[in-house]
Amino acid sequence: MTHSQSTVQTYFVDGHSLEAARMEGRHSNLPTIVMLHEGLGSVSHWRDFPSQIAEKTGASVFVYSRHGHGASDDLQQPRPVSYLHHEAQVVLPEILRQAQIHQPVLLGHSDGASIAIIYAGTFPDSPAALILEAPHVFVEELSVSSIAQARQTYLHTDLPLRLKRHHANADALFWGWNNIWLHPDFREWNIESFLDPIRCPVLVLQGAQDEYGTLKQVEAIRARIPSTASVILDNCKHSPHRDQPEATLAAIVRFLYAITSTHLAQKSQGVPLGAKQK
């Protein structure tokens, strides 16, 4: 995202300064799309994906870098096992309040998708919809193996230099993410129970060759939310918006068109956004 495309902002949330950017949409009656980045992501790490979504949908888009990411405040302490819960139940509600965003569409990637699920399960009346790219609802052996491999990649390749393009303190960010995912206590991490209260429409986008998670993640979500729409993308690994950008964007646009058309009809009847009709 460039400065000409977005308004750069700073928020002070949970004791930390967080960078953010907002793009105003053409259609003010559509819900704002709030983008929640992956475990090594940030505002700039999304590259031009937010602007593409804003252009294709006409909706406003809001992105921010979590604590330790991008130009937000550095991590000073190791992450606890509950860090994604804290982001979903403490940080996200507060940044939405400060940004005056009500009933957002939450578009989360990987860790960001997990945050979206925990938030929607905790505050089921809030989100208009969830778009989940490569979500995790429990820890798989594949995830642990790939994150262990990422440690070797960080130590022996130019990955630190590439991450420094998007983060003020790439070392603290990487080890904060890598260490907690490889911590023995994290093996028991599971957020499937947060799926049960979710009432809003859900779209899952999953790469068939995702190196961090299998289709069992999608199956677990559909088992708890049978109405979930899912798109499995071939020749696609952990980042659908980078590996299959056109197919990913097309799926998002179709999904948003369907739910916003329903929402506008419901809104005219005084029905809350995201409510399922009986």
Side-chain angles (χ1 to χ4, degrees), residues 104-164:
V105 171
L106 298 179
L107 193 166
H109 177 212
S110 191
D111 278 11
S114 300
I115 291 169
I117 289 168
I118 298 170
Y119 177 87
T122 305
F123 309 103
D125 292 330
S126 176
L130 303 182
I131 300 172
L132 309 173
E133 273 195 87
H136 298 284
V137 294
F138 54 85
V139 177
E140 296 184 82
E141 188 58 42
L142 174 66
S143 308
V144 175
S145 298
S146 292
I147 290 170
Q149 180 58 47
R151 173 174 292 202
Q152 297 305 311
T153 302
Y154 193 80
L155 290 171
H156 301 294
T157 73
D158 67 345
L159 179 57
L161 292 176
R162 288 186 280 127
L163 285 180
K164 285 177 182 178

Side-chain angles (χ1 to χ4, degrees), residues 194-236:
F194 285 92
L195 296 166
D196 294 330
I198 294 175
R199 299 199 299 269
C200 65
V202 178
L203 170 66
V204 176
L205 298 159
Q206 179 74 24
Q209 290 78 36
D210 189 338
E211 68 273 37
Y212 288 100
T214 71
L215 295 181
K216 291 179 180 179
Q217 304 289 337
V218 182
E219 293 164 2
I221 294 171
R222 291 186 64 88
R224 304 271 186 146
I225 311 175
S227 61
T228 297
S230 58
V231 177
I232 310 303
L233 297 161
D234 203 6
N235 298 314
C236 180

